Amino acid sequence: MKLGGREAEGYFAKPDPQKVGLLIYGADAMRVALKRQQVLRALLGPTAEEEMRLTRLSGGDLRKDPAQLLDAVKAVGFFPGPRAVFVEEANDSATPAIVSALSEWTPGDAQIIITAGQLKASSKLRKAFETHNNAYAVGIYDDPPSRSEIERILGSEGIQNIPTDSMSALSDIAAEIGPGDFSRMIEKLALYKYQDQGPLTLDDIGAVAPQSTEAALDDLLNVVAEGRSQEIGPVLSRLQAQGTQAVTLCIGATRHFRTLYSIASDPGGPAQGIGRLRPPLYGKRRDRMLRQAQNWGAARLENALTLLTDTDLQLRSAGQTAPALAVMERAMIRLAMLSRKR
């Protein structure tokens, strides 16, 4: 049988131990792996590995020795409790062994959990589960996690008391980054909020949310945008020691000032402009960018972008003879001075 949407989410959270098995397939291996981890934990509990109630096989193993799947399904465990056989990276070449195990399964046998990559509708493996009256097939797609899925992930890490604005922020982040990165971010958030029973704030999220650029480059761009020209040299030297190229700095600066321009030029004002950004900004970084945009104003930001465009053309020019980083440093000093003009 085929499961989708809310039915699938409900089954992942509370799988039926009386079912023969479950096929989870999809193009994103991380998303498939996360669902497999969820369903195995819900089905077997947290001590299944230690109690030898979970057997792991690979699709390649079944091609070489098809009988080992049925042997593992029928094996008697040393510990009481539900058992499962997990077959990873299966494909149509493993289908005969899997179909045989499905047909010979009887109550009390280990449940068969299969993961696979993207499977076409004509896939024999997919059809074997979709046409079985006591097994399920679930396709995992690249859709962002739903609110209920985010709440489940937060709950599994013990994070509660989540205001509406914080949940919206987490939904935006989950839509922008991969599922593995989002899960790791929630783990960091749980550590950050350890023994803190207060509501989850935007500052909490901003403290652990992944950043789009290197911290040192962020430092430099903030120094420039805030007019602290005397600090440009030391920060730029640190970036140079890390091997950062002048063109990379110019691209990063252009992106930063374009973001400021988008905020400052919004018809509804900077406060509305920063709310329209995708990916969104949170916490202290959001407040800082808003202050920078308000200080510069749209007109001066247009001048800043013109200066950066000219600098980029100069850096890429075949006739350029001056050291590239020196050219970029001069441009950043000019930007810092421009920010202080009224």
Side-chain angles (χ1 to χ4, degrees):
M1 293 179 283
K2 186 177 180 180
L3 288 181
R6 293 182 179 179
E7 286 183 318
E9 288 300 329
Y11 190 80
F12 288 138
K14 192 175 181 181
D16 185 350
Q18 302 304 315
K19 294 298 180 183
V20 176
L22 171 68
L23 168 65
I24 309 172
Y25 64 92
D28 191 324
M30 178 57 73
R31 294 177 191 269
V32 171
L34 290 173
K35 293 302 181 185
R36 178 259 302 168
Q37 291 171 3
Q38 180 188 353
V39 76
L40 283 175
R41 186 176 182 87
L43 180 66
L44 305 179
T47 60
E49 296 273 14
E50 295 86 344
E51 296 176 357
M52 296 180 289
R53 292 185 288 109
L54 175 63
T55 302
R56 296 175 180 268
L57 301 172
S58 74
D61 293 336
L62 298 187
R63 290 196 300 270
K64 299 173 186 177
D65 183 8
Q68 64 178 316
L69 175 57
L70 184 58
D71 290 343
V73 168
K74 295 291 184 181
V76 178
F78 292 104
F79 293 88
R83 296 181 300 111
V85 180
F86 163 49
V87 181
E88 187 175 18
E89 297 181 350
N91 54 38
D92 280 353
S93 65
T95 302
I98 295 170
V99 169
S100 175
L102 291 174
S103 64
E104 298 194 39
W105 188 92
T106 57
D109 289 345
Q111 190 165 136
I112 304 167
I113 307 296
I114 311 290
T115 61
Q118 186 63 47
L119 298 176
K120 297 180 180 179
S122 59
S123 164
K124 295 178 182 178
L125 177 58
R126 181 172 161 181
K127 285 184 176 180
F129 278 83
E130 289 181 346
T131 59
H132 199 287
N133 61 6
N134 199 33
Y136 288 129
V138 180
I140 304 298
Y141 304 101
D142 293 342
D143 301 327
S146 63
R147 182 186 179 95
S148 61
E149 175 69 0
I150 294 172
E151 289 175 344
R152 182 194 65 78
I153 296 172
L154 291 168
S156 68
E157 295 293 341
I159 301 175
Q160 300 176 346
N161 196 0
I162 307 162
T164 301
D165 58 347
S166 295
M167 179 58 72
S168 297
L170 289 172
S171 297
D172 288 339
I173 293 173
E176 294 293 335
I177 65 177
D181 291 335
F182 184 71
S183 293
R184 285 189 289 272
M185 191 199 90
I186 299 302
E187 290 175 4
K188 289 167 60 179
L189 188 59
L191 291 173
Y192 185 82
K193 291 287 287 182
Y194 181 65
Q195 292 186 335
D196 180 356
Q197 301 302 315
L200 180 67
T201 66
L202 293 176
D203 283 343
D204 295 333
I205 296 170
V208 301
Q211 301 298 315
S212 60
T213 58
E214 294 288 340
L217 179 55
D218 275 343
D219 290 343
L220 177 61
L221 298 178
N222 286 324
V223 162
V224 172
E226 292 164 8
R228 293 181 279 139
S229 55
Q230 71 279 5
E231 299 178 36
I232 291 175
V235 180
L236 190 58
S237 296
R238 189 163 77 247
L239 282 164
Q240 184 177 7
Q242 296 173 0
T244 305
Q245 300 297 313
V247 171
T248 302
L249 294 175
C250 191
I251 291 171
T254 302
R255 182 165 54 240
H256 186 88
F257 278 86
R258 278 178 180 164
T259 301
L260 293 180
Y261 180 74
S262 296
I263 297 169
S265 62
D266 190 274
Q272 286 192 21
I274 200 165
R276 300 182 199 274
L277 293 181
R278 292 295 179 271
L281 301 176
Y282 302 104
K284 295 178 180 179
R285 187 163 182 256
R286 182 184 191 278
D287 296 339
R288 193 170 196 174
M289 292 286 281
L290 180 58
R291 285 196 302 269
Q292 290 174 10
Q294 290 170 332
N295 177 63
W296 275 83
R300 280 191 296 162
L301 285 167
E302 285 183 2
N303 295 334
L305 288 170
T306 300
L307 190 157
L308 285 168
T309 300
D310 292 342
T311 303
D312 184 59
L313 291 172
Q314 184 179 353
L315 290 172
R316 298 172 190 271
S317 172
Q320 169 63 25
T321 57
L325 282 170
V327 171
M328 195 64 221
E329 182 176 8
R330 183 178 65 182
M332 289 188 167
I333 292 173
R334 290 175 64 190
L335 286 171
M337 299 297 291
L338 180 61
S339 75
R340 297 202 293 264
K341 289 183 180 180
R342 296 294 176 186

